[in-house]
Amino acid sequence: MKIITDVSKKKTIRVGNVEIGGNKPIIIAGPCSVEDEEQVLKIALEVKNQDASILRGGAYKPRTSPYTFQGLGEEGLKYLKNAGIKAGLLTVSELLDIRDIDIVEGYVDIIQIGSRNMYNYPLLKEVGRLNKPVILKRGLSASIEEWMNAAEYIASNGNLNIILCERGIRTFETYTRNTLDLSAVPIIKGISCLPIIVDPSHGTGRRELIIPMSMAAIAAGADGVMVEVHYNPEEALSDGEQSLNFDEFARLCQRINDFTSFFSK
Amino acid sequence: MKIITDVSKKKTIRVGNVEIGGNKPIIIAGPCSVEDEEQVLKIALEVKNQDASILRGGAYKPRTSPYTFQGLGEEGLKYLKNAGIKAGLLTVSELLDIRDIDIVEGYVDIIQIGSRNMYNYPLLKEVGRLNKPVILKRGLSASIEEWMNAAEYIASNGNLNIILCERGIRTFETYTRNTLDLSAVPIIKGISCLPIIVDPSHGTGRRELIIPMSMAAIAAGADGVMVEVHYNPEEALSDGEQSLNFDEFARLCQRINDFTSFFSK
Amino acid sequence: MKIITDVSKKKTIRVGNVEIGGNKPIIIAGPCSVEDEEQVLKIALEVKNQDASILRGGAYKPRTSPYTFQGLGEEGLKYLKNAGIKAGLLTVSELLDIRDIDIVEGYVDIIQIGSRNMYNYPLLKEVGRLNKPVILKRGLSASIEEWMNAAEYIASNGNLNIILCERGIRTFETYTRNTLDLSAVPIIKGISCLPIIVDPSHGTGRRELIIPMSMAAIAAGADGVMVEVHYNPEEALSDGEQSLNFDEFARLCQRINDFTSFFSK
Amino acid sequence: MKIITDVSKKKTIRVGNVEIGGNKPIIIAGPCSVEDEEQVLKIALEVKNQDASILRGGAYKPRTSPYTFQGLGEEGLKYLKNAGIKAGLLTVSELLDIRDIDIVEGYVDIIQIGSRNMYNYPLLKEVGRLNKPVILKRGLSASIEEWMNAAEYIASNGNLNIILCERGIRTFETYTRNTLDLSAVPIIKGISCLPIIVDPSHGTGRRELIIPMSMAAIAAGADGVMVEVHYNPEEALSDGEQSLNFDEFARLCQRINDFTSFFSK
């Protein structure tokens, strides 16, 4: 590695009026899957209402079984983009298939590479050729070193606007869906120039852990969190058990806000 | 899952004159990477000489670092195909990038989906549309259930010629590169209709363990093994520490042969 | 480490007329828990009937919950000893509490240190002072190196009659109770002077996997297997789902026997 | 489980003038090993100077190799006790051997059960009969459920003064010594009545991660942290690479203090 380990060049990534890796932790929120036009708009308005800055929503879903809901595809991206515009939010969505790169790039402000694709080197090289920020999630069982090398695949192709995202690793523990490895936050801060955010929704898989683990992430130095929000988690088409409802989301944003003002004093 | 769990329809896969999942365990062998025309031919002749039936060789290499040897690409596939023809062996090589599917399909008899791509669902769907056998390696930290679902992604698109390959999972143990989970062999035999082979080279990462773990794999019921062989492992461009030399390879083939004739009595 | 890594002094352990680490793999079998006098005797007679050589049975049980059956204690040891005498079998049972060392030593031919006590160094030191063979199970998440150091704790106190037992490690996979790490067999053979056996009952937690994994263990070079047997596994007080019934046990012994004659030819 | 899962009876543990599980997170600090009288006193005075409340120090050390420093034993406990008295601090030290229970109980205010002994049920039962608080560390690869059952072993014998301590679990990641599972903090808070502290020294094994992970622990809701401190970490007889020096320790205490006043507003 050469590029992302140059800690003398700490990167702050600017997208629109949002700064990632700056002084204020960001909040990325939205539904696991874009389900329909109304759903994503309703959630987007609440995300904006709580002063979060980026709207997430999956249109291409990497599902374990070929027989479950695979996402709305391009239609989902349209709904996401429209919701973002109406609510005044930036958008992020996952790119699964290298052949969809132009489509996804056309709709979103930030491209997400999911955990299952962290070792998909052709895909990493291609997003490395774009002029658009990339959120690179850590692989399910990727070591810190492999994860950083994956980022280097992107960087070495020219795109330095990379945001790492810790989202839990696979361990023997079954109480949580994954084990959120928050030590990755200060490690990445110490040995790379990239910002890092944390996804406690996937990282724990349990709604009641999202707020405390978000606070822990920020106390560890994370540049933000990415969480799943739904007005009715019980009825979400995917990942309902790890989505905050609106009340919980409001509480999360309030606490992060308090925290930030405390630290910036 | 519906298709691959139909154990009443046990599959035997025929490629040329080779039967996978039949009475005799197969041996797939060759270099980690195709390095040049001469290297792969020299190894192919020895693979044939020991009565193994399929030649493996990587042309597109999924390397952890973007700065290490990434394989010869299509040129490597040509060398592999020629070596296979001259030696009278079938060939298998890894498909990394969905955009290379036609190229790879044009050169090899069996397409390999590597460990890092087991969750690459678009790639699985595409090879599911081919009329060519696929070796599907288990992901680094994939559960048996996820692995079988990955096979179902292929099968549900029409291609039932799937050979599963256990290649070690990631655990806390650092003595070996991975932990070879041989219990996967009788499990897969019990709950799926697919043949399963074992790769003790990647599964252990240590040359001295390849022969005993190959014997163990076959004793557990595996339909074959896939091993790395090189006339000079110390000088291999990749994975030399887990490649057999020619003497060791001859011993492996001899032992598997004895074993097979014992069991078929 | 100094003592157990001296591979020039390969140990064969003799207990009564049984040789562990010699040419013939041994079979240790019996119930998970000694439940009553009749149960253990009935099983002992069948163990002997199949020509296995050592009877296992737990009297002190390390149970996850304080509220479940904790074993019969010394009474269980008496039943085990009597059953061994009547059937003409050596016996092995687990020592849990350092304060019970004299009691356990008085009843059994081999003392077992279980997985949960592999790091219990005071206990290891004490059995190191005995003149009685010890089976040392690998800890749930112990590295090969830690396991060997645990053996060295015993050896450095004078007792070199140590038999290592691979019994599965804890990984992310939930299909099996543990992941049986058979690569430990050739590794231990290569870097230590101690014999090694395999416990596929705990190593897989599933009855249908015990026979294939026993065969795999022996093909990998193991000096024997330890399995749980019960005339009525469904009614066993503990671990029924991983115990063989008598028919299955007979088949296992037959297959190991065939195997051994193959290898000794 | 019955006792420790009764969340209606949230426990606050009082030892001397210290309250664990109350409103203010506690700091437990001291050397990994008590090395001599002067060393532990010097460190104790600094621990007191920074307003931490409990002095830790190992006298019986569970070392991987039988040939490395095993601790000073009872002499070490004397030095620890004297240092505690002179500095005005409570003390905690690890009990390794059930036969030493009276000795250890005689010297310290809190008994620690280490990670390697979490499954040592006879030891848990015995400390369950004492009238002295116990810190119960999570086992290296113990699930939350097993850990809670271990606490139940203590509680069911009468001693409810149990403080759980998350100290990292064993995973595939080698950058850190263990993976600190901070999600255990809100989980334990939600399903048990016991206080929980975090040990980022063992949990990460790297000095530079101790401060951020301590802050994360407290933000996640931990009732305190336990850290290793040494005036000269490079020369510590054990665990120097994960010990804070005095400057770093002062900074840690300052930050925790700020944090606490923020949260108590």
Side-chain angles (χ1 to χ4, degrees), chain A residues 127-174:
Chain A
V127 297
R129 290 183 192 112
L130 297 181
N131 184 20
K132 184 150 276 194
V134 176
I135 290 178
L136 177 64
K137 288 197 155 190
R138 182 177 182 179
L140 222 53
S141 64
S143 67
I144 298 277
E145 202 193 337
E146 289 171 340
W147 187 21
M148 286 184 62
N149 268 295
E152 190 81 11
Y153 262 100
I154 300 173
S156 64
N157 279 281
N159 188 350
L160 301 183
N161 290 315
I162 306 162
I163 301 145
L164 297 174
C165 178
E166 161 65 31
R167 48 76 71 205
I169 56 173
R170 189 161 271 190
T171 70
F172 62 84
E173 178 59 75
T174 55

Coordinates of all heavy atoms in Angstrom, one line a residue, chain A residues 127-174:
Chain A
V127 N -14.8 1.4 -9.9 CA -15.2 2.6 -9.1 C -14.0 3.5 -8.8 O -14.1 4.7 -8.6 CB -16.0 2.3 -7.8 CG1 -17.3 1.5 -8.1 CG2 -15.2 1.5 -6.8
G128 N -12.8 2.9 -8.9 CA -11.6 3.7 -8.8 C -11.4 4.6 -10.0 O -10.7 5.6 -9.9
R129 N -12.1 4.3 -11.1 CA -12.0 5.2 -12.3 C -13.0 6.3 -12.3 O -13.0 7.2 -13.1 CB -12.0 4.4 -13.5 CG -10.8 3.5 -13.7 CD -10.8 2.7 -14.9 NE -9.6 1.7 -14.8 CZ -9.8 0.4 -14.7 NH1 -11.0 -0.1 -14.7 NH2 -8.7 -0.4 -14.5
L130 N -14.0 6.3 -11.4 CA -15.0 7.3 -11.3 C -14.6 8.5 -10.5 O -13.6 8.5 -9.8 CB -16.3 6.7 -10.6 CG -17.0 5.5 -11.2 CD1 -18.2 5.2 -10.3 CD2 -17.4 5.8 -12.6
N131 N -15.3 9.6 -10.8 CA -15.1 10.8 -10.0 C -16.3 11.0 -9.1 O -17.0 11.9 -9.2 CB -15.0 12.0 -11.0 CG -14.6 13.2 -10.3 OD1 -14.1 13.2 -9.2 ND2 -14.9 14.4 -10.9
K132 N -16.4 10.0 -8.2 CA -17.6 10.0 -7.3 C -17.2 9.3 -6.0 O -16.5 8.3 -6.1 CB -18.7 9.3 -7.9 CG -20.0 9.3 -7.2 CD -21.2 9.2 -8.1 CE -21.6 10.6 -8.5 NZ -23.0 10.6 -9.1
P133 N -17.6 9.9 -4.8 CA -17.2 9.2 -3.6 C -17.7 7.8 -3.4 O -18.8 7.5 -4.0 CB -17.8 10.1 -2.5 CG -18.0 11.4 -3.1 CD -18.3 11.1 -4.6
V134 N -16.9 7.0 -2.8 CA -17.3 5.6 -2.6 C -17.2 5.2 -1.1 O -16.3 5.5 -0.4 CB -16.3 4.6 -3.3 CG1 -16.5 3.2 -3.0 CG2 -16.2 4.9 -4.8
I135 N -18.3 4.6 -0.6 CA -18.3 4.0 0.7 C -17.9 2.5 0.6 O -18.5 1.8 -0.2 CB -19.6 4.1 1.4 CG1 -19.9 5.5 1.8 CG2 -19.7 3.2 2.7 CD1 -21.3 5.7 2.5
L136 N -16.8 2.1 1.2 CA -16.3 0.8 1.0 C -16.5 0.0 2.4 O -15.8 0.3 3.4 CB -14.8 0.8 0.7 CG -14.1 -0.6 0.6 CD1 -14.8 -1.5 -0.5 CD2 -12.6 -0.5 0.4
K137 N -17.5 -0.9 2.4 CA -17.7 -1.6 3.6 C -16.7 -2.7 3.8 O -16.1 -3.2 2.8 CB -19.1 -2.2 3.5 CG -20.2 -1.2 3.7 CD -21.5 -1.8 4.1 CE -22.4 -0.8 4.8 NZ -23.6 -1.5 5.4
R138 N -16.4 -3.0 5.0 CA -15.4 -4.1 5.4 C -16.1 -5.4 5.1 O -17.3 -5.6 5.4 CB -15.1 -4.0 6.8 CG -14.1 -5.0 7.3 CD -13.8 -4.8 8.8 NE -12.8 -5.7 9.3 CZ -12.3 -5.7 10.5 NH1 -12.8 -4.9 11.4 NH2 -11.4 -6.6 10.9
G139 N -15.3 -6.3 4.5 CA -15.9 -7.7 4.2 C -16.2 -8.4 5.5 O -15.6 -8.1 6.6
L140 N -17.1 -9.3 5.4 CA -17.6 -10.1 6.5 C -16.5 -10.7 7.4 O -16.6 -10.8 8.6 CB -18.3 -11.3 5.9 CG -19.6 -11.8 6.5 CD1 -20.6 -10.6 6.6 CD2 -20.2 -12.8 5.6
S141 N -15.4 -11.1 6.7 CA -14.3 -11.7 7.5 C -13.0 -11.1 7.0 O -12.0 -11.8 7.0 CB -14.3 -13.2 7.4 OG -14.1 -13.6 6.1
A142 N -13.0 -9.9 6.6 CA -11.8 -9.3 6.1 C -11.0 -8.7 7.2 O -11.5 -8.1 8.1 CB -12.2 -8.1 5.1
S143 N -9.7 -9.0 7.1 CA -8.8 -8.4 8.1 C -8.7 -6.9 7.7 O -9.0 -6.4 6.6 CB -7.4 -9.0 8.0 OG -6.8 -8.7 6.7
I144 N -8.2 -6.1 8.7 CA -7.9 -4.7 8.5 C -7.0 -4.5 7.3 O -7.2 -3.6 6.4 CB -7.2 -4.1 9.7 CG1 -8.1 -4.2 11.0 CG2 -6.8 -2.6 9.5 CD1 -9.1 -3.1 11.2
E145 N -6.0 -5.4 7.2 CA -5.1 -5.2 6.1 C -5.7 -5.5 4.7 O -5.4 -4.8 3.7 CB -3.9 -6.2 6.3 CG -2.7 -5.8 5.6 CD -1.6 -6.9 5.5 OE1 -1.7 -7.8 6.4 OE2 -0.8 -6.8 4.6
E146 N -6.6 -6.5 4.6 CA -7.2 -6.8 3.3 C -8.2 -5.7 3.0 O -8.3 -5.3 1.8 CB -8.0 -8.1 3.5 CG -7.1 -9.3 3.5 CD -7.9 -10.6 3.9 OE1 -9.1 -10.5 4.4 OE2 -7.4 -11.7 3.6
W147 N -8.8 -5.1 4.0 CA -9.8 -4.0 3.8 C -9.0 -2.8 3.2 O -9.5 -2.2 2.2 CB -10.4 -3.7 5.1 CG -11.6 -2.8 5.1 CD1 -12.4 -2.4 4.1 CD2 -12.0 -2.1 6.3 NE1 -13.3 -1.5 4.6 CE2 -13.1 -1.3 5.9 CE3 -11.6 -2.1 7.6 CZ2 -13.8 -0.5 6.8 CZ3 -12.3 -1.3 8.5 CH2 -13.4 -0.5 8.1
M148 N -7.9 -2.5 3.8 CA -7.1 -1.4 3.4 C -6.6 -1.6 2.0 O -6.5 -0.7 1.1 CB -6.0 -1.1 4.4 CG -6.6 -0.4 5.6 SD -5.3 0.1 6.8 CE -4.4 1.3 5.8
N149 N -6.2 -2.9 1.7 CA -5.8 -3.2 0.3 C -6.9 -3.0 -0.7 O -6.7 -2.6 -1.8 CB -5.2 -4.6 0.2 CG -3.7 -4.6 0.5 OD1 -2.9 -4.1 -0.3 ND2 -3.3 -5.2 1.6
A150 N -8.1 -3.3 -0.3 CA -9.3 -3.1 -1.1 C -9.4 -1.6 -1.5 O -9.7 -1.2 -2.6 CB -10.5 -3.7 -0.5
A151 N -9.3 -0.8 -0.4 CA -9.3 0.6 -0.6 C -8.2 1.1 -1.6 O -8.4 2.0 -2.4 CB -9.2 1.4 0.7
E152 N -7.1 0.4 -1.4 CA -5.9 0.8 -2.3 C -6.2 0.4 -3.8 O -5.8 1.1 -4.7 CB -4.7 0.1 -1.8 CG -3.4 0.5 -2.5 CD -2.8 1.8 -1.9 OE1 -3.2 2.3 -0.8 OE2 -1.9 2.4 -2.6
Y153 N -7.0 -0.6 -4.0 CA -7.4 -1.0 -5.3 C -8.2 0.2 -6.0 O -8.0 0.5 -7.1 CB -8.3 -2.2 -5.4 CG -7.6 -3.5 -5.7 CD1 -7.3 -4.4 -4.7 CD2 -7.3 -3.8 -7.0 CE1 -6.6 -5.6 -5.0 CE2 -6.7 -5.0 -7.3 CZ -6.3 -5.9 -6.3 OH -5.7 -7.1 -6.7
I154 N -9.0 0.8 -5.2 CA -9.8 2.0 -5.6 C -8.9 3.2 -5.9 O -8.8 3.8 -6.9 CB -10.9 2.4 -4.7 CG1 -11.9 1.2 -4.5 CG2 -11.7 3.6 -5.1 CD1 -13.0 1.4 -3.4
A155 N -8.1 3.5 -4.8 CA -7.2 4.6 -4.8 C -6.2 4.6 -6.0 O -5.9 5.6 -6.7 CB -6.5 4.8 -3.5
S156 N -5.6 3.4 -6.2 CA -4.6 3.2 -7.2 C -5.1 3.4 -8.6 O -4.4 3.6 -9.6 CB -3.9 1.9 -7.1 OG -4.8 0.8 -7.3
N157 N -6.5 3.5 -8.8 CA -7.0 3.7 -10.1 C -7.5 5.2 -10.2 O -8.1 5.6 -11.2 CB -8.2 2.8 -10.4 CG -7.7 1.5 -10.9 OD1 -7.3 1.3 -12.0 ND2 -7.6 0.5 -10.0
G158 N -7.2 6.0 -9.2 CA -7.4 7.4 -9.3 C -8.4 8.1 -8.4 O -8.4 9.3 -8.2
N159 N -9.3 7.3 -7.8 CA -10.3 7.8 -7.0 C -10.0 7.8 -5.5 O -9.9 6.7 -4.9 CB -11.6 7.1 -7.2 CG -12.8 7.7 -6.5 OD1 -12.7 8.6 -5.7 ND2 -14.0 7.2 -6.9
L160 N -9.7 8.9 -5.0 CA -9.2 9.0 -3.5 C -10.4 9.3 -2.6 O -10.2 9.4 -1.4 CB -8.1 10.0 -3.4 CG -6.9 9.8 -4.2 CD1 -5.8 10.8 -3.9 CD2 -6.3 8.4 -3.9
N161 N -11.6 9.5 -3.1 CA -12.7 9.8 -2.3 C -13.4 8.6 -1.7 O -14.5 8.2 -2.1 CB -13.7 10.7 -3.1 CG -13.1 12.1 -3.4 OD1 -12.6 12.7 -2.5 ND2 -13.2 12.5 -4.6
I162 N -12.7 8.0 -0.8 CA -13.1 6.7 -0.2 C -13.4 6.9 1.2 O -12.7 7.5 2.0 CB -12.0 5.6 -0.3 CG1 -11.5 5.5 -1.8 CG2 -12.4 4.3 0.2 CD1 -10.1 4.9 -1.9
I163 N -14.6 6.4 1.6 CA -15.0 6.4 3.0 C -15.1 4.9 3.4 O -15.9 4.2 2.9 CB -16.4 7.1 3.1 CG1 -16.3 8.5 2.6 CG2 -16.9 7.0 4.6 CD1 -17.6 8.9 1.9
L164 N -14.3 4.5 4.4 CA -14.4 3.2 4.9 C -15.6 3.0 5.9 O -15.9 4.0 6.5 CB -13.1 2.8 5.6 CG -11.8 2.8 4.7 CD1 -10.6 2.6 5.6 CD2 -11.9 1.8 3.6
C165 N -16.2 1.9 5.9 CA -17.3 1.6 6.8 C -17.2 0.3 7.5 O -17.3 -0.7 6.9 CB -18.6 1.7 6.0 SG -20.1 1.4 7.0
E166 N -17.0 0.4 8.8 CA -17.0 -0.8 9.6 C -18.4 -1.3 9.8 O -19.3 -0.5 10.3 CB -16.3 -0.5 11.0 CG -16.6 -1.5 12.1 CD -16.1 -2.9 11.9 OE1 -15.1 -3.1 11.2 OE2 -16.7 -3.9 12.4
R167 N -18.7 -2.5 9.6 CA -20.1 -3.0 9.6 C -20.2 -4.3 10.3 O -21.2 -5.0 10.2 CB -20.7 -3.0 8.3 CG -19.9 -3.7 7.2 CD -19.9 -5.2 7.3 NE -21.2 -5.7 6.9 CZ -21.6 -6.9 7.3 NH1 -20.8 -7.7 8.1 NH2 -22.7 -7.4 6.9
G168 N -19.2 -4.7 11.1 CA -19.3 -5.9 11.9 C -18.6 -7.0 11.1 O -18.6 -7.1 9.9
I169 N -17.9 -7.9 11.9 CA -17.3 -9.0 11.3 C -17.9 -10.3 11.8 O -18.7 -10.3 12.8 CB -15.8 -9.1 11.7 CG1 -15.5 -9.0 13.2 CG2 -15.0 -7.9 11.0 CD1 -14.1 -9.2 13.6
R170 N -17.6 -11.4 11.1 CA -18.3 -12.7 11.5 C -17.4 -13.4 12.6 O -16.2 -13.6 12.4 CB -18.4 -13.5 10.2 CG -19.2 -14.8 10.4 CD -19.6 -15.3 9.1 NE -20.9 -14.8 8.7 CZ -21.7 -15.2 7.7 NH1 -21.2 -16.2 7.0 NH2 -22.8 -14.7 7.4
T171 N -18.1 -13.7 13.7 CA -17.4 -14.4 14.7 C -18.3 -15.6 15.2 O -19.3 -15.8 14.6 CB -17.1 -13.5 15.9 OG1 -18.4 -13.2 16.6 CG2 -16.5 -12.2 15.5
F172 N -17.9 -16.2 16.3 CA -18.7 -17.3 16.8 C -19.9 -16.8 17.6 O -20.8 -17.6 17.8 CB -17.8 -18.1 17.8 CG -17.4 -17.3 19.0 CD1 -18.2 -17.1 20.1 CD2 -16.2 -16.6 19.0 CE1 -17.8 -16.3 21.2 CE2 -15.8 -15.8 20.1 CZ -16.6 -15.7 21.2
E173 N -20.0 -15.6 17.9 CA -21.1 -15.1 18.8 C -22.4 -15.0 17.9 O -22.4 -14.4 16.8 CB -20.7 -13.7 19.3 CG -21.8 -13.0 20.1 CD -22.3 -13.9 21.4 OE1 -21.5 -13.9 22.4 OE2 -23.3 -14.5 21.3
T174 N -23.4 -15.6 18.4 CA -24.7 -15.6 17.7 C -25.7 -14.6 18.2 O -26.8 -14.4 17.6 CB -25.3 -17.0 17.6 OG1 -25.5 -17.5 19.0 CG2 -24.4 -18.0 16.8

